Amino acid sequence: MLIQLNTFLATAIRADPVLSLAQAVCWLDPLWASDPDNLEDDSLLTALQVVRTALPEAYAQAVEQLRAGLPVGQIEQSICNAIRGYGIEIEEIESLAYGIPIPTYGARLDDPDFHESHPDVVAILAWFDQESDGDTFDLDETALQVGKWLHESLITTSDAGWQQVGWALGWLFSCTGNSSVDLDWESLDGLTPLDWTPDNLAFARELIAEADTILRDVNAGLEHLRQPEAAREMQSHIRRLKRHLQKGHSYADAPRLVWRTALDGADRAAQTDAQFL
């Protein structure tokens, strides 16, 4: 009797175009009535809601895997791989509930481990007359201003090597304009995370790709500053800009900086990667 009733209902559904369409929707899009702003506690449901909104192709693949009876862990891994393939690195499926993860590479001058990890950066900060108390750096306003001026001057030069030095200073003084490069994880943690929308996903992908490019230049720029000639020229310009500020002048009438030492940025950039940071 129950089998006959089921057959009768299936026949009735197929005979009605609206019911047939509704059945197709439920089969192909089981979360059609879900609220993307109300993520579930279940990790798989959360992952499905995320990709349904942000990566429809990954959602369609996951639904197909569900219908095929694949293990939950395998489906979750497939979703993670799809997100990573888009350029967003995630560590575990549970993290999807907290928004789009953005990596952070900001210079943490207040981190006790910073000095040990970046001894060359500590030496550069000393050029700005910034002394460490053993655990942290506390940049004064003059050092911050000079660092930003140098960054803005260097990234517009024609020499690729000095441009890379400019990006290194931009990272050090948190003024590259890229949030992933300028902020550390504590600073980013205080910001509202990006929701899983197509626009936010595209923005995050662009931000991360730009950060990777900047970090390659940062590493190359730090390498350039290990050259004695480049270090001397940089210190000379720092002293010049500091004197300019001490006389009460502003950035609007800052002296034009000429970078005389040629740096071979292209060759060095090919030999570095983003792992230094």
Side-chain angles (χ1 to χ4, degrees):
M1 182 66 178
L2 289 176
I3 295 177
Q4 292 176 335
L5 180 60
N6 183 65
T7 302
F8 173 77
L9 289 174
T11 302
I13 289 175
R14 286 195 297 269
D16 188 306
V18 175
L19 292 179
S20 294
L21 180 60
Q23 184 184 41
V25 169
C26 292
W27 179 262
L28 298 173
D29 184 10
L31 298 185
W32 66 273
S34 66
D35 181 1
D37 295 326
N38 184 23
L39 297 179
E40 302 286 346
D41 293 333
D42 184 279
S43 60
L44 178 58
L45 283 178
T46 294
L48 288 171
Q49 286 178 297
V50 163
V51 292
R52 182 181 185 275
T53 302
L55 291 172
E57 291 184 2
Y59 175 64
Q61 181 184 39
V63 170
E64 183 178 354
Q65 292 171 338
L66 275 172
R67 300 304 185 198
L70 269 63
V72 170
Q74 186 174 339
I75 299 173
E76 291 180 344
Q77 186 60 48
S78 176
I79 291 174
C80 287
N81 291 339
I83 295 173
R84 293 189 187 105
Y86 192 79
I88 308 297
E89 190 60 37
I90 58 173
E91 296 182 359
E92 54 187 11
I93 197 75
E94 289 77 12
S95 66
L96 297 181
Y98 303 102
I100 300 175
I102 302 296
T104 57
Y105 306 102
R108 300 196 63 192
L109 304 185
D110 60 346
D111 188 339
D113 297 328
F114 186 84
H115 299 186
E116 183 178 350
S117 302
H118 300 85
D120 52 345
V121 171
V122 174
I124 293 171
L125 289 171
W127 300 346
F128 293 83
D129 291 336
Q130 298 302 295
E131 296 183 358
S132 166
D133 65 2
D135 290 324
T136 64
F137 271 100
D138 185 16
L139 297 178
D140 61 30
E141 188 59 35
T142 299
L144 289 171
Q145 188 66 62
V146 171
K148 291 178 180 179
W149 284 4
L150 288 168
H151 163 69
E152 293 174 7
S153 171
L154 286 166
I155 62 174
T156 61
T157 63
S158 58
D159 185 283
W162 280 117
Q163 287 179 21
Q164 292 169 330
V165 171
W167 288 114
L169 292 179
W171 164 72
L172 185 58
F173 290 93
S174 302
C175 59
T176 68
N178 182 289
S179 300
S180 185
V181 177
D182 292 339
L183 300 178
D184 57 48
W185 65 270
E186 286 187 350
S187 300
L188 193 65
D189 189 53
L191 302 179
T192 302
L194 294 173
D195 294 330
W196 290 96
T197 67
D199 288 344
N200 284 346
L201 193 61
F203 169 76
R205 185 184 191 184
E206 182 179 351
L207 180 76
I208 293 170
E210 181 185 61
D212 289 342
T213 299
I214 292 174
L215 291 176
R216 285 193 292 270
D217 285 338
V218 168
N219 292 322
L222 293 174
E223 181 67 26
H224 291 319
L225 289 177
R226 294 190 180 100
Q227 302 177 39
E229 298 85 354
R232 284 194 293 268
E233 186 164 359
M234 176 59 70
Q235 292 176 72
S236 174
H237 284 315
I238 290 173
R239 290 192 295 270
R240 185 181 182 191
L241 290 175
K242 289 186 67 176
R243 288 195 299 268
H244 180 78
L245 277 177
Q246 290 167 355
K247 293 178 180 179
H249 299 304
S250 65
Y251 177 71
D253 58 352
R256 179 175 177 270
L257 303 180
V258 178
W259 303 90
R260 303 184 184 282
T261 303
L263 301 178
D264 188 5
D267 291 342
R268 289 181 178 271
Q271 300 173 14
T272 58
D273 56 41
Q275 295 181 356
F276 177 82
L277 300 178

